[in-house]
């Protein structure tokens, strides 16, 4: 059985916001109209709440005529269709560990409130070493299996910042005997990778989706200067397979390159892709001046590679997908300034599209500018 709050359609927003603030809403189940009256809605509340206390909290804020508390069978409530893990908050996981395994509040508070799932792997964003005894790790795994998915088999702790030019994560496998190689599926694209060695940014999901929707002209060549696992180039290739000439993927990190090659096969695009392992400043010479589109999916020092990107660009016209950092405002202007310096009066350029992808840090944002460039052929170099 589950406690639910029944209210009129007009009251949903204010009551939902209140329940969210008080951490009373159960996000594992959907808010739905009642079968008897389509103008009345059921809002599921957290499991094992104290009904008397909840009623008292509600009456302090709302008129009793605005709602009714009842209990209904779980089978009558639809589970949320949100991405796995989003409905499982840090608070209700901690509550679960306390109630099922008798964890103390001090012990459960060590569990971070942010995590992400990649296939059978859970990455916990701890930012410090999780010193849990083996029995507690076993119970934590059981909690994820019961509350999220029975397929969960590996727990990884994110213990530090991404480091170095190769953007390597600082990870610790909490179950050393478990397999950290995950198969993550996003928008029908398969990404296989070792979670302990290779970064995968969930916050870039909207940009990967945008990349998948970009349509090529017949015979175009795409070059990805920082291919990684094929984050952006595989969605582009898969959705333009019949019209593009080829895709060149350059990746410097040998761990990422190994999985890049495998991901090209998994997604059925390997026949159209040339994969090169090395530094894009020294490899790919045969594609200089031939590329109609150039991906620059790298942070933070992307501008250092702009001149090389222009070397790859087709002088008759090319689009560069320029990832860069900016403040809350002025991202487009930052891109234009960087291109003005790099082009040095030898290229025309204009921003075709500008998007803000995600927050990168305090008052710093990850942005992408799609910039069209064309060589000024009559200008003496």
């Amino acid at each position: 059985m589950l406690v639910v709050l029944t209210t009129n359609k007009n009251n949903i927003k204010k009551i939902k916001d209140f329940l969210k603030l008080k951490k009373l809403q159960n996000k594992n189940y959907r808010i739905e109209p009642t079968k008897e009256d389509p103008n009345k809605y059921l809002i599921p509340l957290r499991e094992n709440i104290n009904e008397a206390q909840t009623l008292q909290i509600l009456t302090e804020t709302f008129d009793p005529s605005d709602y009714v508390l009842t209990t209904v069978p779980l089978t009558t409530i639809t589970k949320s269709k949100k991405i796995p893990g989003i409905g499982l908050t840090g608070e209700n996981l901690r509550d679960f560990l306390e109630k099922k395994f008798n964890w103390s509040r001090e012990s459960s508070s060590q569990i971070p409130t942010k995590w992400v799932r990649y296939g059978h792997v859970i990455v916990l964003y701890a930012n410090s070493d999780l010193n849990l005894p083996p029995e507690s790790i076993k119970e934590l795994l059981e909690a994820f299996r019961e509350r999220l998915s029975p397929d969960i088999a590996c727990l990884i702790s994110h213990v530090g910042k991404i480091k170095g030019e190769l953007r390597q994560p600082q990870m610790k496998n909490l179950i050393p005997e478990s397999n950290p190689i995950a198969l993550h599926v996003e928008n029908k694209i398969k990404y296989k990778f070792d979670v302990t060695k290779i970064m995968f940014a969930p916050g870039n999901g909207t940009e990967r989706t945008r990349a998948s929707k970009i349509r090529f002209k017949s015979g175009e060549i795409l070059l990805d200067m920082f291919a990684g696992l094929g984050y952006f180039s595989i969605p582009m290739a898969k959705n333009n397979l019949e019209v593009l000439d080829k895709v060149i993927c350059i990746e410097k990190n040998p761990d990422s390159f190994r999985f890049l090659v495998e991901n090209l096969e998994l997604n059925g695009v390997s026949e159209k892709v040339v994969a090169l392992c090395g530094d894009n400043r020294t490899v790919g010479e045969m594609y200089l001046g031939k590329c109609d589109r150039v991906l620059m999916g790298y942070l933070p020092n992307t501008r250092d590679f702009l001149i090389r990107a222009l070397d790859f660009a087709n002088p008759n016209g090319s689009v560069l997908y320029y990832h860069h950092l900016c403040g809350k405002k002025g991202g487009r202007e930052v891109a234009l300034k960087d291109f003005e310096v790099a082009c040095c009066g030898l290229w025309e350029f204009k921003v075709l599209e500008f998007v803000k992808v995600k927050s990168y840090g305090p008052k710093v944002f990850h942005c992408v500018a799609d910039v069209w460039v064309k060589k000024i052929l009559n200008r003496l170099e």
Side-chain angles (χ1 to χ4, degrees):
M1 303 291 287
L2 188 70
V3 178
V4 298
L5 182 151
T6 305
T7 188
N8 290 326
K9 185 176 181 180
N10 294 337
N11 295 329
I12 286 178
K13 187 179 187 311
K14 66 178 181 180
I15 292 181
K16 179 184 173 183
D17 290 346
F18 178 80
L19 294 174
K20 184 178 179 181
L21 179 67
K22 297 294 184 180
K23 298 180 179 178
L24 292 172
Q25 183 186 348
N26 190 332
K27 295 182 180 179
N28 291 325
Y29 296 91
R30 296 176 61 182
I31 297 173
E32 296 182 310
T34 64
K35 293 180 180 178
E36 297 79 15
D37 185 349
N39 290 316
K40 291 188 175 182
Y41 279 72
L42 298 177
I43 304 178
L45 303 185
R46 281 176 51 194
E47 298 172 36
N48 302 317
I49 65 167
N50 185 307
E51 288 188 53
Q53 290 181 357
T54 303
L55 193 60
Q56 183 178 351
I57 292 170
L58 288 165
T59 53
E60 290 174 355
T61 305
F62 300 104
D63 189 300
S65 63
D66 286 343
Y67 61 88
V68 175
L69 282 188
T70 56
T71 56
V72 297
L74 283 174
T75 53
T76 64
I77 304 294
T78 306
K79 285 193 173 183
S80 172
K81 292 184 179 180
K82 291 184 177 181
I83 299 171
I86 298 299
L88 183 61
T89 67
E91 287 303 317
N92 64 36
L93 176 62
R94 290 172 177 177
D95 289 344
F96 183 80
L97 291 167
E98 291 170 20
K99 290 170 183 175
K100 179 154 187 172
F101 301 112
N102 296 316
W103 282 36
S104 66
R105 173 54 70 172
E106 182 180 359
S107 296
S108 68
S109 64
Q110 295 181 59
I111 306 303
T113 56
K114 180 184 177 183
W115 60 78
V116 65
R117 177 185 178 184
Y118 301 116
H120 70 282
V121 179
I122 294 289
V123 176
L124 300 114
Y125 285 85
N127 289 323
S128 62
D129 200 357
L130 274 179
N131 290 313
L132 298 174
E135 186 61 29
S136 295
I137 293 174
K138 181 179 178 182
E139 290 169 351
L140 180 60
L141 177 63
E142 186 175 336
F144 272 110
R145 283 176 166 171
E146 185 169 331
R147 295 300 302 271
L148 189 59
S149 168
D151 297 330
I152 304 302
C154 181
L155 300 179
I156 304 291
S157 176
H158 187 285
V159 298
K161 295 182 178 180
I162 305 294
K163 287 187 175 181
E165 188 180 57
L166 299 184
R167 310 294 292 144
Q168 293 170 311
Q170 307 301 303
M171 302 287 197
K172 177 183 177 182
N173 192 339
L174 299 179
I175 309 173
E177 66 275 15
S178 65
N179 180 11
I181 297 177
L183 180 61
H184 177 62
V185 181
E186 179 183 274
N187 295 324
K188 299 182 181 181
I189 304 297
K190 299 173 184 177
Y191 299 99
K192 187 176 181 180
F193 64 108
D194 187 331
V195 178
T196 62
K197 295 180 179 180
I198 301 166
M199 179 192 72
F200 192 100
N204 290 349
T206 55
E207 183 61 15
R208 288 189 287 271
T209 299
R210 190 176 78 95
S212 71
K213 295 178 180 179
I214 292 173
R215 293 296 173 260
F216 289 14
K217 296 177 182 177
S218 180
E220 286 192 325
I221 295 175
L222 167 71
L223 184 136
D224 190 347
M225 294 177 67
F226 309 94
L229 299 171
Y231 307 111
F232 305 110
S233 47
I234 288 179
M236 280 186 166
K238 194 172 181 68
N239 289 285
N240 291 281
L241 204 59
E242 293 184 2
V243 297
L244 60 82
D245 182 344
K246 65 170 66 70
V247 178
I248 301 97
C249 288
I250 303 175
E251 175 51 43
K252 187 176 181 179
N253 185 334
D255 290 320
S256 297
F257 183 79
R258 178 167 67 90
F259 285 104
L260 167 65
V261 172
E262 194 165 347
N263 290 333
L264 295 173
E265 291 283 350
L266 283 172
N267 290 283
V269 299
S270 58
E271 289 186 5
K272 284 286 186 87
V273 180
V274 177
L276 303 173
C277 186
D279 191 318
N280 60 50
R281 290 166 290 196
T282 57
V283 302
E285 298 291 311
M286 66 289 292
Y287 299 107
L288 295 179
K290 297 181 180 179
C291 304
D292 305 290
R293 299 173 188 264
V294 180
L295 276 167
M296 302 184 69
Y298 177 76
L299 294 174
N301 302 316
T302 327
R303 64 169 59 92
D304 295 343
F305 297 85
L306 253 180
I307 292 177
R308 183 62 168 176
L310 291 169
D311 289 341
F312 284 121
N314 184 335
N316 295 317
S318 181
V319 178
L320 276 56
Y321 300 94
Y322 181 57
H323 292 237
H324 61 288
L325 299 179
C326 65
K328 189 173 182 179
K329 296 181 180 179
R332 183 186 292 263
E333 289 70 25
V334 170
L336 287 171
K337 184 177 179 180
D338 290 345
F339 271 80
E340 183 177 1
V341 173
C343 290
C344 200
L346 301 174
W347 294 76
E348 299 177 58
F349 61 91
K350 64 179 177 181
V351 176
L352 301 178
E353 186 171 356
F354 173 81
V355 294
K356 193 174 288 184
V357 179
K358 67 179 188 297
S359 173
Y360 189 83
K363 299 182 180 179
V364 179
F365 293 86
H366 171 188
C367 303
V368 182
D370 301 353
V371 183
W372 173 84
V373 298
K374 182 179 180 181
K375 193 75 173 285
I376 302 174
L377 299 178
N378 61 349
R379 182 71 60 87
L380 293 177
E381 300 188 17

